[in-house]
Amino acid sequence: MSALWDGVSVLMGQWQLVLGVIAVLVIGQWSVRVILYPIFGDGLTAGEYSSLGIAGWLAPALLLSLAWMLWGKDHVLPFGMLILIVLILLLRRFKPDDGAGSVSMNLILPLCVFVSVILRLAYISKAVFPLYFDSAQHYFIAKSIMGNAAGFAKSVTTYYYHLGFHFLTASIASILHFEMTRVMLAVGQVVLALIPFSLFFLVRYETQSNMAGWFAVVLSAFGWFMPAHAVNWGKYPALMSLGLIPFVLGLALLVWKNHGTLPARRRWSLYGILGVSVLLAVFIHSRSLIVFGIALLAGIAAAWWRKLPQGWMYLVLVAVVALLTLEVVLIRQKPILSPLFDPYFDKGIWVTVPVLCLSLFAWKDHPRFTFASILFVCLLLGSVFIPMTIIPGYRDLTLLDRPFAEMILFLPLSLLGGLGLAGLENLLQGRFAWGRYIGVVAIGAVAVNAYFNYNLYPSDCCAIVGNDDVLAMDWMADRLSVEARIGIASTVLKVMPFESSEGDVGADAGVWITPLTGRMTFLFPNDAGFDERSTLDGLCELEIGYLYVGEAGQPFDADTIFVRPEWYKPLLSMPGTGVYEVVGCDK
């Protein structure tokens, strides 16, 4: 209950921001529904339209944000109002009938979405700033877009390549006039709250079971601490891409099952929507393209597999499972890669094992979808070993890095769980009176496990900014020259399965100095001994005039600074942080 109250307190304190983000969600969701209705009409239920709308809301939202930032409100606002009026008029024609299920989708789904958003907002109540070093870079990029979106877009290929999140947050901050760190936190939590609901369509459309769809939603929301833990890593673009990937997969499923029955005009309209959605997902995060490639290979292979004689089908399945088992063993043996399974084995084993058991029932009624999901997992894990040698300068880059693979593994597991529950329902119903309640029991079991084990608040592992750091930033902005060169703590980043590291990254709140104050910063090893002459010589060689010691994360050891008052002069001393001037270069 404390998380619910914390979420309500955030909503009450920042209601303009939260409602602004929700308004973007509602407009995006209805846009998707209205665009798809002329193609499928009553061929999809109200629940399926609702889930597709939630899955795809980011596509129209991102298009509007791009238009807003690149062309300005004077041109986009009238156009946006026209679109809104058209949507309202079209809604009168949008009346898909779902029978009894429509009551569930029209009443329960919005309520569940609202409660999910409130629970996720609890995270913001304990977060001073977005966590980890990545967040500072995302802040800087979004602020740069706000300053000169058109000029920034011209240099995009040489600057950064995951820009969808930044354009969306920049447009929301521009429209609502909210501080960017608050916007980042709010958008991240709303996206996270909606990701699970996007899986409903994939399971519901395949199984025709609402309960199976809801089970997949609950699994993906609270079964494992991924993808929610990604916000602790500052992986906002990757998280946002996970919000659109299920929509693309849902459209692909519709293409697969309806390409032979839809009239040519509707079919090509669906192809166009799918193509635009793929481009937008890749714009949000380039590695979405790898995920789509994996899904495409898994789908094609599953279709080929179903045409094999039964004996060969079992042989191929055994080979895929054996390869998957080998990948698991190899990953567990590598210290850099083994954390990939932490959310699913070490801390989520009580959910993963039942899901794997349920996949046996999925196999009976939905063999092709089940095989495709298993093969998807196999290809996903294999991608962390395949180097991208074709890209110059990225010899140690793999198709997917370990954090991204760890984030997305929940998707096929949740699908297997939903398919498996549908298969178990079909087996039990008609044989046992209690069989109709098996879905309620499964959802309740996941909910009880989440109540005791799920953490909705920021993780201590990745918090690098404290309240003293915020005050110190303000002090530096007022007191230090704009030409100041500041040394900040760094550590080595290593998430690839190769020997070399991915480089040095900021280790404490010092990474926020440049984005917030405009002062130049230089990474320096956080384990440096500042009482040693060689360290001072290194600072002097780089012409570093100041050192920053942060409150959280992995900051410099201030004790080695204190013992050399002739080299370092304290300018700001607070319980959690400090700023020191390097005065020993001429001595």
Side-chain angles (χ1 to χ4, degrees), residues 424-435:
L424 184 58
E425 280 182 328
N426 292 336
L427 179 65
L428 296 179
Q429 287 180 0
R431 298 187 179 185
F432 304 98
W434 49 266

Side-chain angles (χ1 to χ4, degrees), residues 527-567:
D527 58 355
F530 291 98
D531 54 349
E532 300 174 3
R533 184 72 201 191
S534 59
T535 301
L536 177 64
D537 291 340
L539 294 173
C540 297
E541 183 179 351
L542 294 173
E543 298 182 354
I544 295 176
Y546 303 90
L547 293 174
Y548 181 80
V549 179
E551 177 181 352
Q554 304 175 61
F556 294 134
D557 183 0
D559 291 339
T560 63
I561 298 177
F562 291 146
V563 299
R564 291 290 189 175
E566 70 276 17
W567 291 352

Side-chain angles (χ1 to χ4, degrees), residues 67-68 71-80:
W68 181 277
W71 295 320
K73 63 180 180 180
D74 293 337
H75 296 88
V76 176
L77 190 57
F79 182 66

Side-chain angles (χ1 to χ4, degrees), residues 27-285:
I27 293 173
Q29 181 199 17
W30 277 106
S31 298
V32 171
R33 297 178 70 166
V34 170
I35 290 171
L36 290 178
Y37 186 68
I39 299 176
F40 295 101
D42 293 334
L44 298 179
T45 66
E48 290 167 346
Y49 274 118
S50 295
S51 180
L52 274 174
I54 291 176
W57 75 277
L58 280 169
L62 182 54
L63 288 174
L64 288 174
S65 68
L66 285 169
W68 181 277
M69 297 309 301
L70 294 175
W71 295 320
K73 63 180 180 180
D74 293 337
H75 296 88
V76 176
L77 190 57
F79 182 66
M81 292 299 296
L82 177 62
I83 292 178
L84 185 60
I85 293 173
V86 171
L87 286 177
I88 293 174
L89 293 175
L90 288 175
L91 289 183
R92 299 180 61 183
R93 298 180 55 192
F94 179 75
K95 297 178 180 179
D97 183 21
D98 194 24
S102 64
V103 177
S104 170
M105 287 301 116
N106 293 331
L107 297 179
I108 298 179
L109 180 60
L111 177 62
C112 290
V113 169
F114 180 74
V115 172
S116 180
V117 170
I118 294 296
L119 287 174
R120 292 299 178 186
L121 290 178
Y123 182 97
I124 302 177
S125 69
K126 306 295 184 183
V128 178
F129 266 32
L131 274 62
Y132 213 48
F133 67 89
D134 273 2
S135 295
Q137 186 180 30
H138 300 319
Y139 173 93
F140 180 76
I141 295 170
K143 292 289 286 187
S144 299
I145 291 174
M146 286 185 66
N148 183 11
F152 186 87
K154 292 179 181 178
S155 60
V156 63
T157 55
T158 59
Y159 191 75
Y160 202 69
Y161 55 96
H162 302 320
L163 288 171
F165 172 79
H166 308 99
F167 270 94
L168 182 62
T169 51
S171 63
I172 292 175
S174 173
I175 295 170
L176 300 179
H177 303 290
F178 256 81
E179 210 286 318
M180 182 61 71
T181 56
R182 296 290 99 186
V183 175
M184 289 173 59
L185 287 168
V187 171
Q189 292 306 309
V190 170
V191 169
L192 181 59
L194 296 176
I195 287 175
F197 296 95
S198 64
L199 271 67
F200 180 89
F201 173 79
L202 289 167
V203 175
R204 170 64 175 78
Y205 193 70
E206 173 67 19
T207 66
Q208 302 300 302
S209 169
N210 284 333
M211 188 60 70
W214 280 114
F215 183 57
V217 169
V218 174
L219 272 178
S220 57
F222 300 113
W224 304 279
F225 69 79
M226 276 296 178
H229 189 64
V231 294
N232 294 318
W233 293 340
K235 300 291 186 181
Y236 289 102
L239 185 68
M240 188 168 160
S241 72
L242 294 184
L244 200 55
I245 285 174
F247 178 63
V248 173
L249 297 181
L251 292 177
L253 182 61
L254 288 172
V255 169
W256 184 277
K257 292 200 171 186
N258 296 278
H259 69 91
T261 59
L262 286 175
R265 185 173 180 179
R266 296 184 184 184
R267 185 169 65 250
W268 283 104
S269 296
L270 183 58
Y271 293 161
I273 296 171
L274 176 59
V276 171
S277 300
V278 169
L279 291 176
L280 289 174
V282 174
F283 183 66
I284 294 173
H285 199 287

Side-chain angles (χ1 to χ4, degrees), residues 338-370:
S338 61
L340 190 157
F341 295 125
D342 284 354
Y344 310 99
F345 285 178
D346 299 342
K347 300 177 182 179
I349 193 68
W350 295 108
V351 177
T352 303
V353 169
V355 165
L356 295 179
C357 293
L358 283 174
S359 65
L360 299 176
F361 298 100
W363 171 265
K364 177 178 178 296
D365 292 342
H366 310 282
R368 187 171 68 182
F369 208 136
T370 302

Side-chain angles (χ1 to χ4, degrees), residues 5-36:
W5 286 118
D6 286 340
V8 171
S9 68
V10 172
L11 176 61
M12 298 298 293
Q14 304 179 35
W15 63 269
Q16 302 100 322
L17 173 59
V18 176
L19 292 184
V21 176
I22 292 177
V24 174
L25 156 67
V26 172
I27 293 173
Q29 181 199 17
W30 277 106
S31 298
V32 171
R33 297 178 70 166
V34 170
I35 290 171
L36 290 178

Side-chain angles (χ1 to χ4, degrees), residues 294-295 298 320 323-325 327-328 331 340-341 345 356 370-384 400 405 408-416:
I294 290 174
V320 170
L323 179 58
L324 178 58
T325 304
E327 290 174 339
V328 171
I331 290 174
L340 190 157
F341 295 125
F345 285 178
L356 295 179
T370 302
F371 180 81
S373 298
I374 295 173
L375 185 58
F376 183 96
V377 175
C378 186
L379 296 174
L380 179 71
L381 298 182
S383 66
V384 303
L400 296 179
I408 205 171
L409 186 54
F410 84 96
L411 176 58
L413 291 177
S414 297
L415 294 178
L416 284 172

